[in-house]
Amino acid sequence: MENTWNTDLYQQQHSFVWQLGQDVIALLAPQPGERILDLGCGTGQLTAAIAAQGATVTGIDADAAMVAQAQQQYPELDFAVADARTFTLPEPVDAVFSNATLHWVNEAEGAIAQIWTALKPGGRFAAEFGGQGNMAQVLAALAETRADLGYGPSQATPWYFPSVGEYATLLEQQGFEVRFATLFDRPTPLTGETGLVDWLQMFAGRFLADIPAEAHPDLRQKIQAKLRSRLYQNGQWFADYRRIRVLAVKPD
Ligand code: BEZ
């Protein structure tokens, strides 16, 4: 899940990532005094929201620029650069929280094993990320636009969008009790008239990595134009997000 993020574009145009994370915090139900890990903390807004409920939170993220930004904004909190597949903690925590991160981790079993190890017996794992069918229209338009311009299919496989059955099975194979798991459509409003272009610039670079950089702006415009009739409504762009949301417990 190596990435170099544009933290300014992320904070200015993609604040929905953490604004829509509030429901996952409700699922986590942090309690005062608990120790909680925020896995994939980005620029730290949800880490801070969990800490505001009285928990002691550590935020980790694979991207050093995100972690630097988080630390600058919330100097009182604890952040570190770490990979979901390999992180370790000095001591086990009461809960692991993760919002909009685990779709970047293709090695899902590795991440689940680390989460298991990070939890105390009785600890819980509350997460939301892209599920099966996430961004299907955007990805189809991207593939079509590449073909229209004479490029072959992208070989990039940057995202993991599992079904509920697949992900719950992986959790159970690890030993978790899956208490709640659902897959739902969540069309997600994007910011501004270039919302879809900005989303592509922020998140979909790897699908264009084999194409000269000077062609990217035009490609992004063409993808956005293809999607206008489906993903632009009443002056607003939407991303066709579909989320998987889970709550699982490590038995005592
Ligand atoms: C998502 O939140 O579903 C997502 C974000 C960036 C890239 C892919 C998926």
Side-chain angles (χ1 to χ4, degrees), residues 5 16 100 103-104 129-130 134-135 159 161 199 203 241-243:
W5 293 103
F16 62 82
H103 47 244
W104 292 102
F129 57 101
N134 195 43
M135 304 297 302
W159 300 321
F161 298 144
W199 189 95
F203 293 120
Y241 278 7
R242 184 178 280 177
R243 315 319 275 170

Side-chain angles (χ1 to χ4, degrees), residues 49-122:
I50 296 167
Q53 299 199 24
T56 301
V57 196
T58 299
I60 63 172
D61 201 286
D63 187 78
M66 289 284 195
V67 168
Q69 184 75 34
Q71 196 66 78
Q72 191 186 328
Q73 290 185 150
Y74 305 105
E76 71 284 11
L77 299 180
D78 189 24
F79 295 99
V81 178
D83 189 307
R85 301 163 299 184
T86 53
F87 75 91
T88 55
L89 299 179
E91 51 182 316
V93 291
D94 297 291
V96 174
F97 168 87
S98 185
N99 179 60
T101 293
L102 291 170
H103 47 244
W104 292 102
V105 185
N106 282 308
E107 299 90 336
E109 282 150 297
I112 288 170
Q114 296 309 112
I115 292 163
W116 173 268
T117 304
L119 284 170
K120 290 178 186 168

Side-chain angles (χ1 to χ4, degrees), residues 135-148:
M135 304 297 302
Q137 297 190 64
V138 172
L139 293 178
L142 206 152
E144 250 181 58
T145 307
R146 286 181 61 105
D148 292 349

Side-chain angles (χ1 to χ4, degrees), residues 154-249:
S154 163
Q155 300 305 312
T157 51
W159 300 321
Y160 171 67
F161 298 144
S163 69
V164 164
E166 178 182 341
Y167 201 67
T169 301
L170 292 183
L171 289 170
E172 287 179 351
Q173 281 169 351
Q174 178 64 59
F176 279 104
E177 286 173 2
V178 179
R179 300 285 176 90
F180 175 83
T182 188
L183 181 72
F184 61 100
D185 287 320
R186 207 219 21 236
T188 297
L190 302 175
T191 304
E193 277 303 302
T194 56
L196 213 276
V197 161
D198 292 341
W199 189 95
L200 290 164
Q201 186 177 353
M202 180 78 213
F203 293 120
R206 283 193 244 176
F207 287 105
L208 306 181
D210 57 321
I211 296 174
E214 55 275 19
H216 291 188
D218 178 55
L219 248 143
R220 288 193 283 263
Q221 290 292 346
K222 287 191 159 74
I223 296 165
Q224 180 172 275
K226 246 184 218 301
L227 290 163
R228 185 169 289 272
S229 63
R230 280 167 289 165
L231 297 182
Y232 187 75
Q233 283 143 28
N234 303 320
Q236 171 82 63
W237 280 104
F238 290 86
D240 56 334
Y241 278 7
R242 184 178 280 177
R243 315 319 275 170
I244 184 166
R245 188 179 286 173
V246 297
L247 178 67
V249 172

